[in-house]
């Protein structure tokens, strides 16, 4: 069963094509990392999939709900079964509620019968917070602790899908690693499907089974994370992998893999959006927008030359 | 003589009316043309240390002891006028968010001209403009004449950071202090800025103090690394030694906590607890409450041990031999 089934989804804001023809599938219990640089449309796509930002066209089915044109009851079910963890944990927790109230609020909103509720202590235990945090206010929590409360709130309703937008943004290395470990353990123990939205390829490579790489509103490559990162079929994916600063002084990169910065989504380049920065661009790339090609082994890439790149790895 | 010599530097912040040390007796040098990475988590004092090198401390911050010598100048002994010429002249600084460090209401050209008015008053207007165009081109901005007329909001994050580096370059400083210069940038842009900093050192011999929480960038760029924890350096070593064989338990934990797609199967190392607060520092080793190896010996302040070209502030290397 798919928890997300999106077909040719577009989300346009006036002239800005933030999401421009995305087709995506996430199976129940699977984890997908959605990666892109700022302005790639990854956050807009995640919000569109959850029905928080209306799509301009296409079909979306999330957690069994047809998102576009869903009625009140269907939206309520969607907002129960698909949960979003926000980027800034302090901004997403009401400063006036104590942690115990924050954790039981979802139950009150969705009128969950007592038998189906986790206790506050159980929820705190799930996210590895000591029980005495129940009496604290958000301002008394560190960034990592607030993030855990946000995660506990999201899983309280036992959703089918968890969406996390930059779950470790703003956290120190040690707090970030604890949150990543926690999310990895929870999603596998509870059998949650998990969509992680991030700019950090290493986080996705660590946390997800599958990866989807976005560039200017389009998914340029998707597939099993290890296969895609070890042997990218799209030159943009390859550039992202090469640009990652490896924490190993013995493996220094020769120089930046690409020049320039992503162009404005207001005025995207013709043909393949990546062609002005692509070292391999041909005349065809300048005029003809590549359709996602099925490469087998559960992989797709939107590059005219993707099959060649699988045969002769990009260097 | 090293480009930067920090000796027994102690800096305090006034909290609830009492001075609390944010840096304790820090000694560190940045050699001529060396890139030193300064690593640590938030609150460890790395930005305080970076600021202190230019005598730039936030309100409430005070130098309580020690000295900083930059390019032969005793920074804390400079008069206000000398300090003004020294900052941006012999030593320059770039920050994490170039948008907040550029003045939004002046064009790039105007901001460069302001720097030149202080530091390069004798040159002709034409020579100054020539020089401005020169540095903008040097830092890889494709169309310097257009950038000169642009306001900061018209530039991307990467372009703004290039402008900041151009401003820093203008006077050929001996030392560049870079406080998280790539943290707000996308990964492809980050790679470009790291390459630009390396070029700056290779081409002009500029010594760089590179402050970062990102161990990947440090491994890619730096010659030597100092790891800070709770206001002290806990380990300094050549970059290759530090990453290959970290000695301090904190350094080891930090390196193991970084996720990598190349090590998918491994569980990440986590560090229990939080760094000590400024107002309630523990006795003895500040890391002991979170350290998996802590023992009775850690209750007293650990000595700074010198091992072949590196320093470690821990009793452990002695214990384990």
């Amino acid at each position: 069963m798919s928890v997300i089934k999106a077909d040719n989804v577009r989300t346009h804001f006036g002239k800005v094509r933030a999401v421009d023809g995305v087709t995506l599938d996430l199976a129940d219990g699977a984890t997908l990392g959605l990666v892109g640089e700022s302005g790639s449309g990854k956050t807009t796509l995640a919000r569109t999939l959850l029905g928080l930002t209306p799509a301009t066209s296409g079909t979306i089915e999330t957690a069994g709900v047809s998102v576009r044109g869903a009625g009140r009851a269907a939206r309520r079910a969607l907002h129960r079964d698909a949960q979003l963890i926000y980027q800034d944990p302090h901004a997403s927790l009401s400063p006036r509620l104590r942690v115990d109230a924050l954790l039981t609020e979802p139950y009150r909103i969705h009128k969950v019968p007592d038998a189906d509720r986790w206790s506050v202590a159980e929820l705190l235990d799930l996210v590895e917070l000591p029980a005495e945090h129940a009496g604290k206010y958000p301002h008394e929590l560190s960034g990592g602790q607030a993030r855990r409360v946000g995660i506990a709130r999201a899983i309280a309703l036992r959703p089918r899908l968890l969406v996390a937008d930059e779950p470790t943004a703003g956290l120190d290395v040690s707090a970030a690693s604890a949150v990543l470990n926690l999310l990895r353990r929870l999603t596998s123990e509870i059998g949650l499907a998990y969509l992680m939205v991030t700019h950090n390829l290493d986080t996705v490579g660590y946390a997800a089974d599958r990866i989807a790489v976005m560039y200017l509103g389009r998914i340029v490559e998707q597939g099993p994370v290890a296969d895609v990162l070890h042997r990218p079929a799209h030159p943009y994916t390859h550039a992202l992998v090469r640009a990652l600063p490896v924490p190993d002084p013995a493996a220094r990169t020769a120089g930046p893999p690409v020049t320039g910065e992503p162009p404005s989504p207001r005025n995207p380049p013709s043909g393949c959006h990546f062609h002005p920065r692509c070292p391999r661009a041909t005349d065809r790339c300048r005029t003809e927008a590549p359709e996602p090609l099925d490469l087998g082994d559960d992989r797709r890439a939107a590059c005219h030359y993707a099959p060649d790149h699988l045969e002769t790895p990009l260097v | 003589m090293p480009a930067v010599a920090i000796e027994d530097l102690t800096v305090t912040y006034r909290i609830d009316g009492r001075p609390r040390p944010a840096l304790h007796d820090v000694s560190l040098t940045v050699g001529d043309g060396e890139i030193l990475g300064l690593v640590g988590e938030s609150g460890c004092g790395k930005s305080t240390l970076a600021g202190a090198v230019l005598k730039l401390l936030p309100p409430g911050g005070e130098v309580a002891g020690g000295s900083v010598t930059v390019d032969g100048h005793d920074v804390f002994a400079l008069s206000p006028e000398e300090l003004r010429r020294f900052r941006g002249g012999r030593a320059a600084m770039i920050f994490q968010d170039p948008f907040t460090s550029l003045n939004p209401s002046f064009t790039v050209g105007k901001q460069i001209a302001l720097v030149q008015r202080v530091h390069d008053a004798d040159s002709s207007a034409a020579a100054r403009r020539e020089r401005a165009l020169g540095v903008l081109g040097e830092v890889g901005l494709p169309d310097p004449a257009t950038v000169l007329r642009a306001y900061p909001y018209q530039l991307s994050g990467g372009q703004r950071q290039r402008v900041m580096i151009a401003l820093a370059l203008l006077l050929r400083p001996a030392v560049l202090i870079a406080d998280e210069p790539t943290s707000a940038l996308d990964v492809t842009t980050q790679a470009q800025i790291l390459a630009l900093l390396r070029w700056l050192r290779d081409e002009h011999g500029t010594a760089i103090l590179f402050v970062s929480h990102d161990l990947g960038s440090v491994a890619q760029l730096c010659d030597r690394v100092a790891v800070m924890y709770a206001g002290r350096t806990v380990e300094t070593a050549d970059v290759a030694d530090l990453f290959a064989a970290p000695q301090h338990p904190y350094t080891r934990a930090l390196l193991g906590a970084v996720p990598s797609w190349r090590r998918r199967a491994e569980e990440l190392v986590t560090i229990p607890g939080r760094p000590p607060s400024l107002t309630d520092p523990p006795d003895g080793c500040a890391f002991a409450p979170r350290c998996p190896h802590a023992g009775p010996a850690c209750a007293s302040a650990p000595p700074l041990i010198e091992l072949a070209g590196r320093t470690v502030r821990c009793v452990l290397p002695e214990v384990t031999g």
Side-chain angles (χ1 to χ4, degrees):
Chain A
M1 281 276 278
S2 296
V3 66
I4 298 177
K5 237 180 142 49
D7 191 33
N8 205 15
V9 173
R10 291 172 201 277
T11 310
H12 295 175
F13 303 108
K15 281 188 173 167
V16 178
R17 301 171 167 207
V19 176
D20 200 22
V22 165
T23 298
L24 195 69
D25 189 288
L26 178 59
D28 264 315
T31 50
L32 171 69
L34 181 61
V35 187
E37 297 185 276
S38 27
S40 62
K42 57 188 188 301
T43 296
T44 304
L45 174 60
R47 293 183 56 88
T48 304
L49 294 174
L50 293 174
L52 299 172
T53 298
T56 312
S57 67
T59 58
I60 309 164
E61 199 182 293
T62 300
V65 174
S66 179
V67 172
R68 299 191 65 212
R72 229 180 126 82
R75 291 188 76 85
R76 209 175 165 81
L78 173 65
H79 293 157
R80 184 186 63 228
D81 294 336
Q83 288 286 329
L84 176 64
I85 302 172
Y86 289 89
Q87 216 177 96
D88 182 343
H90 278 112
S92 62
L93 300 175
S94 166
R96 292 161 181 272
L97 293 182
R98 294 197 326 195
V99 168
D100 50 2
L102 285 166
L103 292 179
T104 49
E105 195 181 30
Y107 293 135
R108 282 187 280 117
I109 291 170
H110 289 280
K111 302 191 177 65
V112 176
D114 283 353
D116 295 341
R117 296 185 180 192
W118 270 310
S119 70
V120 169
E122 283 171 320
L123 282 168
L124 288 173
D125 189 52
L126 273 173
V127 295
E128 295 161 12
L129 281 176
E132 57 266 26
H133 279 61
K136 290 193 174 175
Y137 285 93
H139 73 90
E140 297 173 284
L141 304 173
S142 71
Q145 290 166 342
R147 197 91 38 154
R148 281 158 197 267
V149 171
I151 293 170
R153 247 166 87 90
I155 59 171
L157 295 163
R158 303 179 198 223
R160 277 174 70 188
L161 169 68
L162 192 65
V163 178
D165 192 358
E166 300 285 3
T168 58
L171 293 182
D172 269 320
V173 177
S174 61
S177 69
V179 166
L180 287 178
N181 280 345
L182 175 70
L183 283 169
R184 187 149 113 161
R185 182 174 66 70
L186 282 177
T187 49
S188 76
E189 275 175 14
I190 306 178
L192 276 175
Y194 175 28
L195 175 65
M196 175 195 249
V197 183
T198 179
H199 70 282
N200 189 325
L201 214 56
D202 267 323
T203 313
V204 165
Y206 175 74
D209 310 321
R210 302 187 77 249
I211 185 172
V213 181
M214 269 190 102
Y215 191 73
L216 282 186
R218 295 177 184 165
I219 290 181
V220 296
E221 179 159 14
Q222 55 178 313
V225 73
D227 298 348
V228 169
L229 297 182
H230 276 293
R231 189 173 269 216
H234 197 288
Y236 178 61
T237 314
H238 181 245
L240 281 183
V241 173
R242 284 245 341 254
L244 265 188
V246 186
D248 179 3
R252 286 202 175 166
T253 49
V258 288
T259 54
E261 291 177 65
S264 157
R266 196 174 290 275
N267 186 19
S270 62
C272 172
H273 286 349
F274 188 57
H275 88 254
R277 303 174 74 197
C278 183
R280 289 173 183 78
T282 64
D283 283 340
R284 187 178 173 201
C285 306
R286 285 180 257 280
T287 52
E288 189 188 329
E291 291 298 320
L293 294 175
D294 192 334
L295 303 170
D297 299 324
D298 190 26
R299 294 187 60 174
R300 292 155 77 84
C303 170
H304 298 308
Y305 306 103
D308 304 347
H309 300 152
L310 283 190
E311 217 155 89
T312 320
L314 294 164
V315 281
Chain B
M1 187 171 46
V4 180
I6 299 164
E7 267 177 72
D8 299 323
L9 180 65
T10 297
V11 171
T12 58
Y13 286 118
R14 197 158 276 281
I15 299 171
D16 299 333
R18 289 175 55 191
R20 313 281 189 173
L23 293 177
H24 302 262
D25 295 325
V26 173
S27 294
L28 211 54
T29 59
V30 188
D32 258 335
E34 181 179 61
I35 306 182
L36 176 75
L38 194 56
V39 180
E41 300 183 276
S42 24
C44 71
K46 59 188 191 299
S47 288
T48 298
L49 182 61
V53 173
L54 295 188
K55 206 179 171 189
L56 280 174
L57 291 172
E62 213 170 282
V63 176
S67 68
V68 174
T69 313
V70 176
D71 191 32
H73 300 273
D74 179 352
V75 176
F76 301 148
L78 296 177
S79 71
E81 177 53 30
E82 288 168 335
L83 199 57
R84 199 160 73 100
R85 294 187 169 279
F86 165 75
R87 290 181 188 147
R90 297 311 297 154
M93 186 157 182
I94 59 174
F95 301 88
Q96 173 169 353
D97 183 356
F99 199 48
T100 53
S101 16
L102 290 168
N103 189 323
S105 48
F106 291 153
T107 62
V108 169
K110 174 86 177 163
Q111 303 192 48
I112 292 179
L114 286 171
V115 175
Q116 290 173 324
R117 205 169 70 190
V118 174
H119 293 282
D120 189 18
D122 302 335
S123 306
S124 70
R128 285 196 228 166
R129 187 182 147 83
E130 201 52 41
R131 178 114 185 81
L133 289 170
V135 287
L136 291 175
E138 258 187 321
V139 297
L141 286 160
D143 185 0
T146 308
V147 173
L148 217 50
R149 286 193 303 273
Y151 286 92
Y153 78 90
Q154 294 170 312
L155 304 172
S156 72
Q159 289 171 328
R160 288 196 286 260
Q161 197 58 286
R162 285 180 199 273
V163 168
M164 283 304 294
I165 295 172
L167 276 164
L169 255 178
L170 204 54
L171 300 143
R172 295 271 173 263
V175 178
L176 178 70
I177 315 291
D179 190 359
E180 302 269 9
T182 63
S183 302
L185 302 176
D186 275 319
V187 60
T188 53
T189 316
Q190 175 185 337
Q192 295 167 17
I193 298 295
L194 290 178
L196 179 59
L197 290 174
R198 191 179 301 147
W199 169 87
L200 184 60
R201 188 275 300 274
D202 293 346
E203 192 71 14
H204 297 294
T206 313
I208 301 175
L209 179 62
F210 181 76
V211 181
S212 180
H213 69 281
D214 178 33
L215 293 159
S217 304
V218 168
Q220 289 293 316
L221 179 69
C222 300
D223 305 317
R224 219 153 50 85
V225 186
V227 181
M228 289 193 70
Y229 188 78
R232 288 186 172 89
T233 52
V234 293
E235 181 161 4
T236 57
D238 276 339
V239 69
D241 296 341
L242 188 97
F243 281 84
Q247 294 297 311
H248 196 284
Y250 178 63
T251 315
R252 248 180 272 161
L254 213 50
L255 290 177
V258 183
S260 164
W261 65 270
R262 291 177 174 84
R263 296 182 288 133
R264 274 171 63 71
E266 294 168 34
E267 179 94 337
L268 298 176
V269 172
T270 58
I271 309 175
R274 298 167 64 181
S277 77
L278 282 185
T279 51
D280 187 24
D283 297 331
C285 173
F287 187 59
R290 307 174 75 190
C291 181
H293 309 287
C298 306
S300 49
L304 188 70
I305 296 168
E306 296 199 25
L307 306 154
R310 62 203 287 173
T311 63
V312 185
R313 191 181 297 279
C314 180
V315 294
L316 200 69
E318 268 191 338
V319 173
T320 57

